[in-house]
Amino acid sequence: MTIKAIPIGEFDFTPYGTYYNLKEDAERVSHTKTDAYEDHMTKAPLIDTPGHLGYTIGGAAPCEVRSMEKHAHTEEAIFCMAEPVILCVALARGGEPPRAEDVRAVLLSPGEAAVMAREVWHDACRGLGKPAGYYYLAKAGERPADWLPVSGGPVALEY
């Protein structure tokens, strides 16, 4: 199975969590512009618990998505640095591992954030043709997350 990443703004992210376009969202984001800077900040906290800031360097796409993780204890916000990244997600089906036919890929660009709801399967984000760094915000768990193989996978990821 092969999937292609689409820009997150063209995808209904609602079943997976909340999407923010920090530069354009006037309802949920406050905007300040001066001669010295331009600022865009969510009006509400990004996740619903105190969070820990993380930094990951994800591998390059195209690639294969072989395993995914999910969290019951926290939402997780993903935002790229200077380069776009691809986020793969899949809805959970109870206690089952992620299924290949459920995997979707969205492209996040600078100024965009995806906040995954609890229990949403996800892979590490991938850079476009090269490794790319991104930040995440989540409450740290008592133990590392479990990564499970994608059932019916792997899923080939293109952009």
Side-chain angles (χ1 to χ4, degrees):
M1 171 179 200
T2 300
I3 61 172
K4 186 172 181 173
I6 62 170
I8 192 168
E10 298 174 12
F11 180 80
D12 180 10
F13 195 74
T14 308
Y16 306 91
T18 306
Y19 160 65
Y20 292 92
N21 184 323
L22 290 162
K23 293 180 182 178
E24 297 178 11
D25 187 339
E27 183 179 328
R28 299 173 297 155
V29 177
S30 63
H31 306 278
T32 304
K33 187 171 183 173
T34 72
D35 291 340
Y37 67 88
E38 187 176 314
D39 185 64
H40 311 277
M41 182 181 1
T42 60
K43 292 177 181 177
L46 197 58
I47 62 174
D48 63 2
T49 62
H52 299 86
L53 180 63
Y55 170 65
T56 299
I57 299 171
C63 61
E64 290 184 337
V65 177
R66 296 182 170 278
S67 62
M68 301 179 99
E69 69 168 342
K70 66 177 181 165
H71 314 285
H73 70 283
T74 187
E75 295 176 317
E76 183 173 346
I78 303 285
F79 27 95
C80 53
M81 294 174 47
E83 301 177 66
V85 293
I86 298 170
L87 169 64
C88 290
V89 293
L91 293 177
R93 296 179 186 238
E96 294 181 26
R99 292 186 183 179
E101 65 264 22
D102 294 338
V103 178
R104 303 291 181 265
V106 293
L107 179 68
L108 285 166
S109 293
E112 296 178 315
V115 182
M116 292 176 289
R118 286 172 174 79
E119 300 290 334
V120 170
W121 290 106
H122 56 283
D123 186 19
C125 293
R126 310 299 180 126
L128 305 182
K130 62 182 180 178
Y134 65 95
Y135 291 104
Y136 66 92
L137 183 66
K139 182 179 179 184
E142 294 178 13
R143 61 181 181 81
D146 292 327
W147 285 78
L148 295 180
V150 174
S151 176
V155 175
L157 171 63
E158 298 178 349
Y159 63 94

